[in-house]
Amino acid sequence: MQRSNTTLPGSGAGQRGERLMWLTHQRVFYAGLLGAAAERTMGGYGVYVSPAGAPPNRLRIGGGAWQTGELFVVPPQVPHRVESAHPLIFNLLIESESVDPARLPGYLQHCGPVDAPAFVQRMRGAHTHLLALSGRQSFEGLEFDRLFFGEALAPRALDPRIRKVIDAINADPAAPTSAEGCAASVHLSFSRFLHLFKQETGTAFRAFRAWKRARSLLRYVRQTSTLTDIALDTGYPDSTHFSHSIRQVYGLKPSDIVAGSRRLALHDAAGGYRQ
């Protein structure tokens, strides 16, 4: 979430007022700096859109060839790298356990560049609309899915036992949650729990827990705490583990993410608004 040294004419100061992030438990909208990010592996559906008039972004899935486009969709747990020649990029994150993959809109059921001009325009328009509201203390009352997709995305039906575990992790991603403890809490054997969790969510328990912990960093990007304090607050045992895990997920060092968020208006559904 930090831009590279590439800067277009007319960018810079004018771009700073356009940076915002809307963070909820199941969705994220980020309009800000991308930076020279290395390969990243997100735990949710990643949707990338370039601003109007900007050059197309570039995407590489794993070790594949570079592709260009205005709109990219990357499913959960797929390693990828994104490059943007423009200082600003729009990025949606949709939590995998919150949506039925078979009932997603067609343009979200792909991996790579997608031709969906109506959605691209809707996402750019949503950014403009949120900017107009950004002086408020929160975006409370706005319906995230209807703003970006025109309708609520179909929820994923989950086994109640797996839902209980997911809700507990979402409520406190920093907690030292173990698979053994989760299995016991829902009266399942360890092996049965791991199998059922992967079957229900499409993601292995360990990868899911790691993603939720890394995702929780987004709530701290505007705080003045030291990186060591943020590491401890987000549940990492030390700064080394914190840095390694964050780089695997976001393709950036934690210090670069925080530095690139200095002028970001953060609207956190749980923690309020920070300018």
Side-chain angles (χ1 to χ4, degrees), residues 74-97:
V74 183
Q77 303 300 333
V78 173
H80 63 285
R81 185 172 178 178
V82 177
E83 290 186 351
S84 171
H86 193 276
L88 196 68
I89 193 168
F90 301 150
N91 181 203
L92 282 176
L93 280 171
I94 306 163
E95 295 304 293
S96 60
E97 79 279 5

